[in-house]
Amino acid sequence: MKQEVGYFSRTSLSLSVSLLLDSSASMEDKMRTTQEAALEFVRSLRPEDQAQVIDFDSRVSVLAPFTSSKADLEKAIASTVPGGSTSLYTALYIALRELKKTETRGMEDRRRRAVVVLTDGEDTSSLVSYEEVLELAKRSETAIYAVGIRSKDTTATERATARPISRSAS
C-alpha cells in the first residue's frame, strides 16, 4: 500500500524529554541509583535538547519545567526524596500533556518527543487509568521508555515475573 511521505530530513532532530523519577517509599534503597542514572542522562543531552523533571509518588510534581539548563535539571533531580505510594499513570498522563505543549507549527523546529521513566514498580494510586494513558500515548507521537530499577537483592524469580509498565508509542 502506497503512503505519502509527509516529512523527511537527514538532520538530527533536537529532543524534548520528560524525565519521570519514581520517589515512592519503595524507592528508599534505590533513590541514589535512580538519581545517578537521571544525572547521567541529563549530562548526555545536547545543547539544543530540552528536558523537564517530574517527580512522582502519591503526588506528581514538575520539579523543573522544560529547559536546556543542565544545572537546573540536576538540581531538580537531587531534590527528590522517597515517600508515599506510586502514581505512575498520573505522572505519565501529565508528562504527555506537558510534551504536547512543546509541539511546533513549522518544520524548521521539529523535535522528537520522549518520556523516560525510572521506576521500581507498578502503579498503586493514580487518578487516571492505564487505558486513558495508553490512548493519550498513541495519539501523542511520543516514545515512552521505562527503565526498571531493582534492588541488588531482587531474586531471579521476581525479575522473571515483573510486568512491563508500558510499550513505546510512536
Side-chain angles (χ1 to χ4, degrees), residues 21-32 34-35 53-59 61 63 75-85:
L21 305 180
D22 181 347
S23 63
S24 61
S26 64
M27 292 292 289
E28 181 84 40
D29 63 333
K30 302 171 214 88
M31 204 69 233
R32 186 72 200 134
T34 301
Q35 289 170 328
V53 175
I54 297 179
D55 172 51
F56 68 96
D57 50 33
S58 304
R59 298 181 333 161
S61 302
L63 299 180
K75 182 178 176 184
I77 291 164
S79 74
T80 56
V81 178
S85 56

Side-chain angles (χ1 to χ4, degrees), residues 57-131:
D57 50 33
S58 304
R59 298 181 333 161
V60 178
S61 302
V62 177
L63 299 180
F66 281 104
T67 182
S68 294
S69 168
K70 291 181 182 182
D72 290 349
L73 296 167
E74 289 171 357
K75 182 178 176 184
I77 291 164
S79 74
T80 56
V81 178
S85 56
T86 309
S87 294
L88 174 60
Y89 301 151
T90 301
L92 282 166
Y93 190 86
I94 290 170
L96 290 167
R97 296 294 299 262
E98 290 289 314
L99 277 163
K100 179 86 172 143
K101 296 175 188 176
T102 69
E103 241 176 42
T104 59
R105 300 278 183 246
M107 294 294 182
E108 66 281 348
D109 191 32
R110 284 186 55 91
R111 294 181 164 274
R112 289 184 300 154
R113 293 186 306 248
V115 175
V116 176
V117 185
L118 300 173
T119 184
D120 71 341
E122 295 184 34
D123 185 281
T124 60
S125 63
S126 280
L127 302 174
V128 295
S129 70
Y130 172 80
E131 290 75 20

